[in-house]
Amino acid sequence: MSSPATAPPAPNNLRRIVAASLIGTTIEWYDFFLYGSAAALVFNKLFFPDSDPLVGTLLSFLTYAVGFAARPLGALVFGHYGDRLGRKKLLVLSLLLMGGATFAIGLLPTHADIGAAAPVLLTVLRLVQGFALGGEWGGAVLLVSEHGDAKRRGFWAAWPQTGAPAGQLLATGVLSLLTAVLSDAAFGSWGWRIPFLLSGVLVIVGLWIRLSVDESPVFREALARAESRKEDDERLPLVAVLRHHWRDVLVAMGARMAENISYYVITAFILVYATVSAGVSKQTALNAVLIGSAVHFAVIPAWGALSDRIGRRPVYLLGAVGIGLWMFPFFSLVDTGRFGSLVLAVTVGLVLHGAMYAPQAAFFSEMFATRMRYSGASIGAQFASVAAGAPAPLIATALLADYGSSTPIALYVIAAVLITVVAVGVAQETRHRDLSDVTPVPEADPAPEAEAADARSV
C-alpha cells in the first residue's frame, strides 16, 4: 500500500500544483529569455554604443552570461533553505526577485543617459535574475515530482519544464509583435521597455496562483522525521549532497552540457547568426523561434510520458545523439535564408532538445534523497549552466567572428553532446525509485521489486 507521502493526489489538486509550478517557471523563463533576446537585438546599441556592432553584441552577451554565473549561488542558497524550510516559501521568493529585477530593467536609463553606469546597473540586475532562476528550477520540478503519481512522474514533472518554451514563446512573441508594429527607431527608443515592464503584471498573477498550493507531503514527512532525529547532515543539506551524492551531481552536470548549449545556440545565438550571416531580418528570425518554441512546448510532455514507459536514460540519449547529428543540417538550412528552412531548422532542433529536457526533471529529482533533493538537483543543474548555457552564445559569436563559418559552432555543440552521452551512459536508471524511500541512493540500481523492500526511509 502507498504511504500518505507517496499516494497519488486527487487529480484536481495535482493539476493545481502543476499549474502553480508552470505559471511560475513560465514567468521566470520569460524574464530570463527576454534579456537574451534583447541582448541579441538592442542592448548592444543601447548599452555599448561605442563598440563595433559584433563587438557590441559580444559585450551584450557577456552581460547575458553574467546571469548564469549567479545561478549556482542561487542554487546553493535556495537549495539549502528549500531543503530545510520547504519548497513553497522559496518558490515565492524566487518569483519576487526575478520579477522585480526584470521590471527594474524596463526602467533602466541607457548609456546615452548616464554613460558607463548604465551597463553596470544592467549587469547587477542580470545577477539578481540569475540568482532567482538558480533557485526556481529545483523547487518547481520538486513540488510536482513529490506530489505526483510515481507511475507518471516523468509526464507530470515535464510540465514545469514546458515553462522554458512557454517563457521563450511569450518573450519572443511580445518582441516579435513590437518589432512588427513599431519602427526601429521607436523600438530602440522606448518600445524595448514594454516587455520588461509587463513582467510586473505577470508576477502578480504568478504569486496569486503559487500561494494557493500546499507544501510537498513527501517533504513534510521527511522534515518531521529529521527533526525527531536531529541529524547534523540533514541540517546542512549541501554537506549531505557532497557526502552521499557527489557522483549524481557530476552526472547531472554532464547531462546538462548538450541540453543547455544546444538550446541557447538554437534560440539566442540564432538571432545573431541568421541576421549577420544569412541576411535574414530580425523579425523573420524571431518568428522562426516563435514557431519552434510552440512545437517545443507541445512535445515536452510527450517525451516525459515516454520516459515513464522506457526510462529516463534512453529518451535523454535519443535527444543528445539526435541534436549532435542535427547541427550541420541545422546551419545549412539557416544559410539558405528561406523562412521555411529556418523554421524547420529551429523546430527539429527544439524537438530533439525536448527529449533531453523533458525527462530531466524526474531524472534529477530521483537521484537525490528528500532532505537533500532541492540542493542536489539545483546544484547539479545550475553549476552546469555556468560552463554550458552561460558562454554558449558568447562562444558561438566569437567563433563566428574568428572563422566566419558555422562549422566550428557545430563542432562545439557536438563536443558537448559527447560529454552528455558519457554522463548519461554511466548513470543509473531512476524511473522506478520511490521519492519517499531513497536516502541516500544505493550504489547499485536494484530491480524495482527489490528496491521497494531494501531502500531506507527518509
Side-chain angles (χ1 to χ4, degrees), residues 25-370:
T25 54
T26 297
I27 294 168
E28 296 257 9
W29 283 114
Y30 165 82
D31 292 348
F32 204 75
F33 288 145
L34 180 61
Y35 190 104
S37 296
L41 296 173
V42 295
F43 281 178
N44 57 333
K45 301 173 184 176
L46 295 174
F47 294 94
F48 307 98
D50 298 330
S51 303
D52 172 84
L54 200 55
V55 173
T57 301
L58 280 169
L59 292 172
S60 183
F61 274 142
L62 186 59
T63 63
Y64 169 77
V66 163
F68 287 82
R71 284 166 67 171
L73 179 59
L76 290 172
V77 174
F78 280 82
H80 174 81
Y81 288 103
D83 280 329
R84 296 194 62 188
L85 305 177
R87 292 36 171 144
K88 177 180 172 179
K89 295 183 181 70
L90 275 296
L91 285 173
V92 170
L93 178 59
S94 71
L95 190 60
L96 286 171
L97 285 174
M98 177 67 88
T102 305
F103 187 83
I105 290 174
L107 300 175
L108 204 61
T110 66
H111 189 280
D113 299 318
I114 59 173
V120 172
L121 291 173
L122 181 68
T123 302
V124 170
L125 292 173
R126 181 60 174 172
L127 283 168
V128 176
Q129 280 191 323
F131 179 78
L133 190 63
E136 163 70 22
W137 181 85
V141 300
L142 293 188
L143 197 64
V144 176
S145 295
E146 293 178 343
H147 270 95
D149 180 356
K151 293 181 179 179
R152 303 186 68 197
R153 185 181 298 129
F155 171 74
W156 289 115
W159 280 101
Q161 299 291 76
T162 64
Q168 179 77 70
L169 191 66
L170 187 58
T172 307
V174 172
L175 282 172
S176 182
L177 176 63
L178 289 171
T179 56
V181 300
L182 295 176
S183 65
D184 288 344
F187 183 77
S189 175
W190 55 268
W192 67 272
R193 298 181 183 275
I194 295 174
F196 289 93
L197 297 176
L198 179 62
S199 178
V201 178
L202 297 176
V203 166
I204 294 173
V205 175
L207 285 174
W208 176 68
I209 296 175
R210 187 160 274 186
L211 286 169
S212 68
V213 302
D214 297 325
E215 182 56 79
S216 155
V218 170
F219 174 79
R220 289 201 305 267
E221 181 179 300
L223 181 61
R225 293 181 181 181
E227 288 178 344
S228 67
R229 293 197 303 266
K230 300 296 182 185
E231 295 187 4
D232 291 338
D233 65 343
E234 289 183 334
R235 291 199 294 270
L236 293 171
L238 175 60
V239 174
V241 168
L242 297 178
R243 180 182 301 168
H244 299 299
H245 290 287
W246 62 270
R247 291 182 183 85
D248 296 313
V249 170
L250 292 178
V251 166
M253 291 176 66
R256 288 218 73 196
M257 297 304 290
E259 176 268 309
N260 219 215
I261 289 173
S262 65
Y263 188 78
Y264 290 106
V265 167
I266 293 170
T267 60
F269 171 70
I270 192 64
L271 299 178
V272 175
Y273 183 82
T275 54
V276 173
S277 294
V280 175
S281 70
K282 63 182 179 183
Q283 180 67 48
T284 300
L286 282 168
N287 288 342
V289 174
L290 193 66
I291 294 170
S293 296
V295 177
H296 194 209
F297 179 90
V299 300
I300 286 177
W303 285 123
L306 182 62
S307 77
D308 286 326
R309 297 180 63 86
I310 68 173
R312 318 299 183 211
R313 292 170 68 247
V315 176
Y316 211 115
L317 288 170
L318 174 64
V321 173
I323 206 75
L325 294 174
W326 184 244
M327 274 299 100
F328 282 107
F330 171 82
F331 284 109
S332 295
L333 288 167
V334 175
D335 285 338
T336 66
R338 295 193 296 267
F339 178 66
S341 298
L342 189 59
V343 170
L344 179 63
V346 173
T347 301
V348 173
L350 289 178
V351 168
L352 293 170
H353 171 270
M356 293 182 283
Y357 198 56
Q360 191 178 96
F363 189 30
F364 290 7
S365 297
E366 291 158 348
M367 288 181 182
F368 302 96
T370 301

Side-chain angles (χ1 to χ4, degrees), residues 248 251-252 313 363 367 421-430 445:
D248 296 313
V251 166
R313 292 170 68 247
F363 189 30
M367 288 181 182
V421 168
V422 171
V424 178
V426 301
Q428 300 173 22
E429 180 55 59
T430 62
D445 193 19

